[in-house]
Amino acid sequence: MFFRNTPSGFEVWRVSANRWELVRTDGGWRVERRVNAPLDGSEGAQALLGFSG
């Protein structure tokens, strides 16, 4: 969640989810891919969370 300060107080500005895909290397774990999607009910957001229509 990202919050922003407005004249009437703090409000939620954006809610999103991240999917991190990691690979193990000789040097340790590394990020291979990161996907970010707003949690707005869209197909992309549902797919990111593993939901299918």
Side-chain angles (χ1 to χ4, degrees):
M1 278 190 225
F2 290 95
F3 295 89
R4 66 178 171 185
N5 191 4
T6 67
S8 60
F10 287 95
E11 65 183 22
V12 176
W13 180 57
R14 180 180 179 187
V15 179
S16 62
N18 293 282
R19 178 185 174 122
W20 296 82
E21 296 178 8
L22 307 173
V23 293
R24 181 177 250 169
T25 68
D26 291 338
W29 289 98
R30 301 285 183 227
V31 175
E32 182 174 76
R33 183 173 180 231
R34 177 181 161 255
V35 180
N36 177 284
L39 294 181
D40 58 4
S42 67
E43 288 182 25
Q46 291 180 34
L48 179 67
L49 296 174
F51 299 111
S52 59

